[in-house]
Amino acid sequence: MTKLPPTPESRLASTEVESHAEAFQKSRDDRRTELMEDYVELIADLIEHSGEARQTDIAQRLGVTQPTVAKMLKRLAEENLITQRPYRGVFLTEEGQRLAVATRRRHEVVEAVLCRLGVDPDTARNDAEGIEHHVSEKTLEAFERFLKT
């Protein structure tokens, strides 16, 4: 087993306790919203591609069961991100559409940066799927400046 090098004292000394705690809290909050963002982005993609987003299509695309999707759709409805109509599928609210656009934008920017750094397109697309949820607005702006150079 490879042993990790010890954390330099200077790193801990240069990071204020409150700042450290804020970073970890942001990470926890990001994980909570990650799934919701994935669902909203997928729903937008399905509506754009086929005119509707059905629970069965969502389950198939995400590789999860329909009860799992039903549970998340209930949560999304409670957050006012979607509406559901019997026998008609899932639709995004205005708030859901804004979240889908923002999530898609983050994904596209992160993917473009990775490609610009020389990462192959398939790997960049897959990696961006995870990274997009944890990128701050400041970092995203820096990425966009980088892409303009």
Side-chain angles (χ1 to χ4, degrees), residues 36 40 43 72-84 90-100:
M36 290 184 2
V40 169
I43 290 166
M72 179 54 81
L73 293 180
K74 182 179 180 194
R75 182 174 169 200
L76 294 174
E78 289 169 356
E79 296 287 333
N80 193 36
L81 296 171
I82 65 161
T83 59
Q84 292 178 276
V90 180
F91 301 89
L92 295 173
T93 63
E94 284 185 35
E95 191 174 336
Q97 289 173 349
R98 280 192 297 273
L99 180 60

Side-chain angles (χ1 to χ4, degrees), residues 85-135:
R85 298 185 189 139
Y87 311 107
R88 294 247 5 255
V90 180
F91 301 89
L92 295 173
T93 63
E94 284 185 35
E95 191 174 336
Q97 289 173 349
R98 280 192 297 273
L99 180 60
V101 167
T103 302
R104 184 179 290 151
R105 173 181 159 255
R106 282 195 322 263
H107 181 104
E108 290 171 351
V109 170
V110 170
E111 186 175 337
V113 166
L114 293 173
C115 286
R116 181 93 173 270
L117 291 171
V119 176
D120 70 88
D122 288 338
T123 301
R125 185 174 33 263
N126 291 336
D127 287 352
E129 188 58 48
I131 296 168
E132 73 187 45
H133 303 288
H134 303 279
V135 174

Side-chain angles (χ1 to χ4, degrees), residues 2-143:
T2 306
K3 192 173 184 179
L4 293 174
T7 302
E9 288 298 319
S10 61
R11 181 174 161 208
L12 284 178
S14 68
T15 305
E16 293 182 29
V17 172
E18 289 175 10
S19 176
H20 213 195
E22 286 174 13
F24 280 104
Q25 183 61 47
K26 181 187 180 316
S27 182
R28 285 191 299 275
D29 292 342
D30 289 347
R31 281 193 294 271
R32 282 188 206 108
T33 61
E34 187 172 342
L35 261 180
M36 290 184 2
E37 290 176 347
D38 283 342
Y39 271 78
V40 169
E41 187 178 14
L42 175 59
I43 290 166
D45 290 344
L46 287 169
I47 290 170
E48 186 178 306
H49 182 261
S50 60
E52 67 177 351
R54 298 177 308 143
Q55 187 169 316
T56 56
D57 296 329
I58 296 168
Q60 185 178 29
R61 294 283 179 144
L62 293 176
V64 297
T65 65
Q66 286 194 47
T68 298
V69 172
K71 184 177 177 181
M72 179 54 81
L73 293 180
K74 182 179 180 194
R75 182 174 169 200
L76 294 174
E78 289 169 356
E79 296 287 333
N80 193 36
L81 296 171
I82 65 161
T83 59
Q84 292 178 276
R85 298 185 189 139
Y87 311 107
R88 294 247 5 255
V90 180
F91 301 89
L92 295 173
T93 63
E94 284 185 35
E95 191 174 336
Q97 289 173 349
R98 280 192 297 273
L99 180 60
V101 167
T103 302
R104 184 179 290 151
R105 173 181 159 255
R106 282 195 322 263
H107 181 104
E108 290 171 351
V109 170
V110 170
E111 186 175 337
V113 166
L114 293 173
C115 286
R116 181 93 173 270
L117 291 171
V119 176
D120 70 88
D122 288 338
T123 301
R125 185 174 33 263
N126 291 336
D127 287 352
E129 188 58 48
I131 296 168
E132 73 187 45
H133 303 288
H134 303 279
V135 174
S136 69
E137 202 52 43
K138 282 183 178 181
T139 300
L140 197 64
E141 289 169 5
F143 283 179

